[in-house]
Amino acid sequence: MGSEHMQIGEVAARTELSLRTIRHYEDTGLVIPSARSQGGFRLYTEADVARLMVIRRMKPLGFTLDEMRDLLATTDRLDSGDELSAEQREELVERMRGFEQATQQRVRDLRTQLARAEEFAATLREHLPRDAEPQLPAPFPM
């Protein structure tokens, strides 16, 4: 096995995804291991890790598997180096623009949710007696 390939455990550690999640993404066709070892182990490249990181970033924003698949297909086409007509390239760029706009909206929505959650936490704190405030642990001595 060459140094350019990683087994699934290393990929899981690097992406902070579980083995089960990585296998699920394989089953759904989002990420296919670049190779298999002689023993049948999945082998991944840096490009596979980058693909998993895109998926990992999309998931908490509520993108569906189909949307993830669409974005990955779009980036694959744009990055492939294949000759694209001006019309094809513009269509792909418009798709990317749509994903960027959807992402920005989802980020705004999350910021609103976070602000509401912080307001709620502050409201709860106001109802606690002063001596019931949580004590922060002492910092580690250096």
Side-chain angles (χ1 to χ4, degrees):
M1 172 172 58
S3 62
E4 67 276 357
H5 286 103
M6 297 164 267
Q7 290 189 4
I8 194 170
E10 182 180 349
V11 171
R14 288 190 50 196
T15 60
E16 298 177 351
L17 295 169
S18 69
L19 300 177
R20 182 177 176 196
T21 298
I22 295 170
R23 288 185 190 114
H24 172 69
Y25 291 149
E26 179 185 354
D27 291 342
T28 60
L30 287 172
V31 176
I32 306 298
S34 291
R36 293 261 181 182
S37 70
Q38 288 182 350
F41 293 104
R42 294 166 175 85
L43 299 176
Y44 298 87
T45 62
E46 288 296 331
D48 298 325
V49 170
R51 195 171 179 90
L52 283 164
M53 292 302 291
V54 168
I55 296 165
R56 193 187 92 181
R57 290 176 181 125
M58 291 180 81
K59 184 72 174 147
L61 294 174
F63 286 100
T64 66
L65 292 177
D66 285 338
E67 289 169 324
M68 292 176 194
R69 193 174 292 109
D70 186 31
L71 174 68
L72 291 167
T74 300
T75 57
D76 287 348
R77 289 278 318 275
L78 286 169
D79 296 343
S80 70
D82 293 344
E83 287 288 325
L84 297 171
S85 69
E87 184 177 297
Q88 290 171 322
R89 178 167 291 288
E90 183 56 32
E91 179 185 325
L92 293 170
V93 168
E94 274 304 309
R95 253 193 214 153
M96 288 295 292
R97 196 169 283 122
F99 277 107
E100 191 275 334
Q101 291 169 352
T103 298
Q104 289 300 327
Q105 182 59 52
R106 291 170 190 212
V107 167
R108 285 190 293 274
D109 293 346
L110 285 172
R111 284 190 177 123
T112 300
Q113 285 181 315
L114 179 59
R116 289 176 182 158
E118 288 171 339
E119 288 171 3
F120 180 59
T123 300
L124 293 176
R125 258 191 318 275
E126 290 172 5
H127 287 84
L128 293 173
R130 279 285 191 221
D131 60 346
E133 289 187 28
Q135 299 298 314
L136 296 176
F140 287 109
M142 300 226 173

